[in-house]
Amino acid sequence: MERTPSTAQPPPVRLVPYGKDDLPQLVRHNSPEMTAHLGGPEAEEKLRDRHHRYLHLNGTGRMFKIVTTDTEEPAGLVGFWEAIHSGHTVWETGWGVLPEFQGRGIAVTATRLVVGEARAAGRHPTLYAFPAATNGPSNAVCRKVGFTLVGAGDFEYPKGRWSRCNDWALDLTGGAPRQPRTG
Ligand SMILES: CC(C)(COP(=O)(O)OP(=O)(O)OC[C@H]1O[C@@H](n2cnc3c(N)ncnc32)[C@H](O)[C@@H]1OP(=O)(O)O)[C@@H](O)C(=O)NCCC(=O)NCCS
């Protein structure tokens, strides 16, 4: 796949708040290819629950569509939400870029934008990401955005499916990342 050289301008994308008409976008993210590191496609009912959850985060996070500014196409989804990590409530982030838009630096640019949103939201000082250890592109996004690898652990997601995930942390207050975690 052709990739944008790292010296090139960041791809022109902006974040648009996830809205009530965005279920079709969520459906496009529910393919076997897009969910290969996330336990596979979700059942329709679960997807509708997810849509509802994204619409009603009410201060406990925000979801966005990633839209190309030149062609106004929806290229992916990115967001942040509250999660319990080592007994603390933290911000967790996650992202997806549709296959036809991948390999252009869109996930990196969109995640940088969402870091700004999480920072502006206040509330929690650290943003975490937990990509599967085998998810090469997603771990690369963490590294390129400036997250620090602070550990790894076995996560149950979805219920009944355990996989090895990396813990990446990014301090939103300008200081050093919080305590490393193992196991
Ligand atoms: C992860 C994902 C969002 C990346 O989107 P993208 O827009 O293609 O990512 P970017 O182009 O911004 O950057 C990807 C980086 O990963 C690197 N990369 C790609 N495949 C890689 C691999 N197998 N191993 C290591 N790095 C890899 C690329 O080289 C690129 O870095 P570069 O710009 O220095 O070349 C996309 O693959 C996706 O949506 N996957 C399915 C959903 C998913 O797994 N989401 C993450 C859940 S935690």
Side-chain angles (χ1 to χ4, degrees):
M1 187 187 299
E2 195 175 318
R3 297 195 176 281
T4 310
S6 52
T7 50
Q9 287 292 315
V13 291
R14 62 193 172 92
L15 303 186
V16 175
Y18 186 89
K20 62 179 174 45
D21 298 329
D22 288 332
L23 182 60
Q25 179 73 13
L26 203 49
V27 170
R28 293 172 72 197
H29 283 252
N30 198 39
S31 66
E33 183 182 5
M34 288 294 289
T35 57
H37 294 283
L38 301 164
E42 290 182 311
E44 196 181 322
E45 192 191 332
K46 288 232 177 232
L47 210 61
R48 285 188 180 279
D49 287 350
R50 181 180 291 280
H51 175 64
H52 187 265
R53 206 162 60 241
Y54 284 178
L55 288 175
H56 298 97
L57 284 167
N58 297 333
T60 63
R62 292 188 76 187
M63 278 308 297
F64 300 93
K65 251 184 330 186
I66 306 167
V67 175
T68 60
T69 49
D70 45 0
T71 56
E72 288 293 319
E73 288 171 283
L77 294 168
V78 66
F80 63 100
W81 51 86
E82 287 187 335
I84 305 292
H85 182 55
S86 301
H88 299 279
T89 306
V90 300
W91 286 134
E92 177 181 351
T93 180
W95 43 74
V97 170
L98 294 170
E100 61 271 34
F101 293 96
Q102 289 177 8
R104 305 184 200 171
I106 288 179
V108 169
T109 301
T111 303
R112 287 193 176 127
L113 293 173
V114 104
V115 166
E117 296 288 343
R119 185 171 282 133
R123 202 164 162 110
H124 305 298
T126 311
L127 181 66
Y128 281 85
F130 305 109
T134 52
N135 191 341
S138 213
N139 283 286
V141 170
C142 293
R143 200 162 34 244
K144 292 191 77 172
V145 170
F147 284 76
T148 301
L149 184 61
V150 293
D154 294 320
F155 283 73
E156 188 182 21
Y157 183 83
K159 201 163 170 48
R161 175 185 176 271
W162 289 86
S163 59
R164 192 77 177 164
C165 293
N166 286 328
D167 290 13
W168 291 90
L170 189 144
D171 183 76
L172 298 170
T173 65
R178 277 185 166 181
Q179 279 297 307
R181 188 175 81 87
T182 53

